[in-house]
Amino acid sequence: MDVFNHYLPWTYKRLSLLPESIWQQLFSPSENVEQDQTYPITNLMVLLYQKITNECDLSTFKKRASLVRWYEIYGKSIFNIEELETKLNYQTQKRREPLKSNGVNLVGYSRGRLGLGEDLRAYAELLKHKGIAFSIVHIGHPTDDPLSFSSPFENGVIFDKSIFFINAIEAAKLLEVVEDLSATFGYTTIIPPWELEHAPEEWAETLDSFDEVWGISHFTTKALSRVHASVKYSAPVVLPCKYESEKRKKNTSPFRFLFVFDAGSYIERKNPLATVQAFQLAFAKNENVELVLKVSNSSDTEHWEKVKLKSLSDSRIKIVDKLLTSSDLEQLWDSANCYVSLHRSEGFGRTIAEALVRKLPVIATAYSGSNDLFLDDYPLLVEFNLVMINKGEYPSSTNATWAAPNIESASALMRYVFEHCETEQINKWRESGAEHVQQNFMLHSKSRPLDGWNV
């Protein structure tokens, strides 16, 4: 059912895509499922459960209970069901209170385990730090984790300024279901992520619908400027580490290289196979080293299958393919000796920033938005060549290029960090890298257009 294929706010225009009789049928108890749970199992619950989990078997009490639990904790969040039910309960649009002028709405995937969710949550901390009132406008997402990321500031649209943390593709879909963007959200700003040198020309009309467009790096700002007359650079917010290390990694442990990435954000772009290849080139199998790949949203792609095959044949390569608690993830970070990202392109590079804040030496491709995170003379950046993007590797990328990091260059740098990790020189790079991120991307950074707003 197309109306549930997009993760957008529920508007009266969006509701009108289905007749009232269909909505009534969706919220009616399912005649095909035994009703033995605390809550009636509706047709909508079954539809959404099958859509997200691909689970069609509801033949046992336990499986039906799992559906109900999933729906109450996750399904309602992913599909904005509370907002949907509120809108359906009004036959005509309720008169809204005038929007207030002393704060900001943050619109996006506030409960999602993805970069855009991190961006919104970090911006909420920035506004709190500055003493600026704000309200979070939650949009559901398949990666929602309501138990970890629900916020008491989720109060809907109440201010006359709104910042959207969504990509331009989703923004175009949003514009199709909102009658009047300004009347609904006030003065609008969008911060759309983008990872290639040129933004698609078809974005021009979508971005022109917003009052301001901000770029998350100088690379992205330049790319967006090709389709919008006035794009402002806005430094993303990098938050301090939440947990303090209880003890330093023991010297007797294997020297650990770490790469944390979201495979759902286009695995060819994240390029973990290059990291594996560089690691295997750098070290013999009898050396006390290991590579840990922490992946989320993995799927059976050709690229990922190659990575898994290499890990199966090399005990030094470990894959962590499961959700971790914040504490467990921080322990993983604390166990690392060096961070490696041989990406083909980054809009910003949040995990690179997090590694630098943690004072890890970082080996990264010397290309795209992640270059903002390094001082000009940072010595651990990997050489690259620009190559054409193959069909299907990234959206809207016809005749576009990105980086192919040099495996030999990366391998030599991994070897160098392994052999010199505790030297004064690398400690100096650690300190300067952390200081650069702290000065330019944390809460007190001045490189944000928000500072000129009258709020």
Side-chain angles (χ1 to χ4, degrees):
M1 192 170 288
D2 288 346
V3 74
F4 291 103
N5 286 343
H6 309 305
Y7 304 95
L8 300 169
W10 287 101
T11 65
Y12 291 98
K13 186 175 181 180
R14 187 180 176 196
L15 292 180
S16 69
L17 297 175
L18 293 179
E20 183 178 347
S21 59
I22 297 297
W23 286 117
Q24 291 176 348
Q25 182 180 353
L26 286 170
F27 278 94
S28 297
S30 175
E31 296 179 358
N32 300 319
V33 178
E34 184 176 350
Q35 299 292 342
D36 56 358
Q37 302 298 309
T38 304
Y39 302 102
I41 298 176
T42 65
N43 293 309
L44 179 64
M45 293 165 66
V46 175
L47 171 71
L48 301 183
Y49 186 61
Q50 293 176 346
K51 181 178 179 64
I52 295 295
T53 67
N54 294 318
E55 177 58 66
C56 298
D57 184 2
L58 299 173
S59 60
T60 68
F61 179 91
K62 183 176 181 180
K63 290 178 179 178
R64 292 188 290 275
S66 294
L67 180 155
V68 172
R69 183 177 184 276
W70 172 87
Y71 182 76
E72 287 298 313
I73 297 176
Y74 298 101
K76 284 185 174 181
S77 177
I78 293 170
F79 292 98
N80 300 320
I81 298 300
E82 292 181 359
E83 181 185 35
L84 170 60
E85 290 178 327
T86 299
K87 288 277 196 306
L88 285 172
N89 286 335
Y90 290 102
Q91 296 299 319
T92 59
Q93 187 167 349
K94 182 180 179 182
R95 183 186 295 272
R96 291 180 52 189
E97 295 293 327
L99 297 176
K100 301 177 182 178
S101 61
N102 61 336
V104 181
N105 308 304
L106 303 179
V107 186
Y109 314 113
S110 58
R111 302 175 188 170
R113 286 183 177 269
L114 73 168
L116 284 168
E118 287 292 321
D119 289 343
L120 188 153
R121 292 189 290 270
Y123 229 89
E125 291 300 317
L126 171 67
L127 296 178
K128 194 183 302 182
H129 173 76
K130 289 180 172 292
I132 297 173
F134 66 93
S135 176
I136 294 175
V137 183
H138 161 67
I139 299 177
H141 190 270
T143 64
D144 270 10
D145 183 359
L147 299 180
S148 299
F149 297 127
S150 293
S151 169
F153 295 95
E154 294 175 4
N155 297 312
V157 182
I158 59 178
F159 298 111
D160 64 357
K161 294 182 180 65
S162 297
I163 301 177
F164 290 79
F165 297 84
I166 59 177
N167 65 40
I169 296 171
E170 294 305 308
K173 297 173 184 176
L174 174 68
L175 293 172
E176 292 178 355
V177 300
V178 175
E179 292 283 359
D180 186 325
L181 190 68
S182 296
T184 305
F185 293 99
Y187 187 86
T188 56
T189 297
I190 185 171
I191 315 179
W194 185 244
E195 288 94 6
L196 301 185
E197 187 177 3
H198 302 282
E201 293 181 4
E202 59 266 27
W203 286 9
E205 184 177 355
T206 297
L207 297 181
D208 279 342
S209 300
F210 293 83
D211 294 299
E212 291 192 18
V213 178
W214 296 353
I216 57 175
S217 64
H218 291 95
F219 178 84
T220 299
T221 300
K222 184 178 179 180
L224 294 173
S225 295
R226 298 178 184 275
V227 295
H228 192 276
S230 179
V231 182
K232 300 177 181 179
Y233 166 68
S234 179
V237 181
V238 177
L239 296 177
C241 302
K242 294 181 180 179
Y243 298 89
E244 293 293 334
S245 173
E246 295 182 2
K247 57 183 179 181
R248 290 189 60 83
K249 183 175 164 60
K250 296 179 180 178
N251 293 330
T252 55
S253 300
F255 188 98
R256 174 172 285 184
F257 293 91
L258 175 67
F259 180 35
V260 180
F261 66 101
D262 181 355
S265 188
Y266 300 96
I267 192 166
E268 291 286 352
R269 182 175 68 81
K270 293 297 185 179
N271 203 19
L273 183 59
T275 301
V276 171
Q277 292 169 335
F279 173 80
Q280 291 185 318
L281 181 62
F283 304 106
K285 287 199 173 183
N286 62 349
E287 294 186 87
N288 193 28
V289 294
E290 65 181 10
L291 170 65
V292 176
L293 303 174
K294 168 61 184 80
V295 61
S296 57
N297 300 311
S298 64
S299 59
D300 295 330
T301 63
E302 181 180 353
H303 187 111
W304 187 234
E305 287 302 318
K306 289 180 180 178
V307 172
K308 289 194 293 184
L309 284 173
K310 285 185 175 294
S311 71
L312 288 173
S313 63
D314 190 337
S315 62
R316 303 169 304 164
I317 302 172
K318 306 182 187 307
I319 294 175
V320 181
D321 190 0
K322 62 180 180 180
L323 285 177
L324 299 180
T325 66
S326 297
S327 178
D328 288 341
L329 183 58
E330 197 60 34
Q331 288 181 29
L332 178 62
W333 276 108
D334 188 52
S335 73
N337 298 99
C338 179
Y339 190 77
V340 185
S341 176
L342 301 186
H343 56 268
R344 294 183 177 276
S345 195
E346 284 285 3
F348 174 61
R350 180 168 289 278
T351 60
I352 294 173
E354 291 178 357
L356 289 166
V357 167
R358 290 173 169 85
K359 298 185 179 181
L360 286 171
V362 173
I363 298 170
T365 312
Y367 178 72
S368 66
S370 56
N371 282 355
D372 287 359
L373 293 164
F374 300 102
L375 293 165
D376 292 339
D377 59 350
Y378 191 79
L380 299 179
L381 299 182
V382 177
E383 301 169 2
F384 66 92
N385 294 312
L386 290 178
V387 298
M388 299 299 296
I389 301 174
N390 295 322
K391 185 178 180 180
E393 291 181 340
Y394 196 80
S396 303
S397 58
T398 303
N399 298 322
T401 61
W402 57 13
N406 184 292
I407 301 301
E408 289 75 19
S409 169
S411 174
L413 290 174
M414 293 172 82
R415 185 83 213 176
Y416 182 86
V417 172
F418 171 66
E419 293 177 348
H420 300 86
C421 192
E422 296 301 326
T423 63
E424 181 179 347
Q425 184 62 66
I426 285 189
N427 286 334
K428 179 182 177 181
W429 297 340
R430 286 172 168 166
E431 294 295 332
S432 63
E435 183 180 2
H436 179 69
V437 174
Q438 289 165 359
Q439 288 181 351
N440 294 282
F441 301 101
M442 298 189 82
L443 296 176
H444 55 271
S445 169
K446 299 298 182 183
S447 300
R448 300 186 180 97
L450 177 69
D451 294 323
W453 281 15
N454 184 23
V455 289

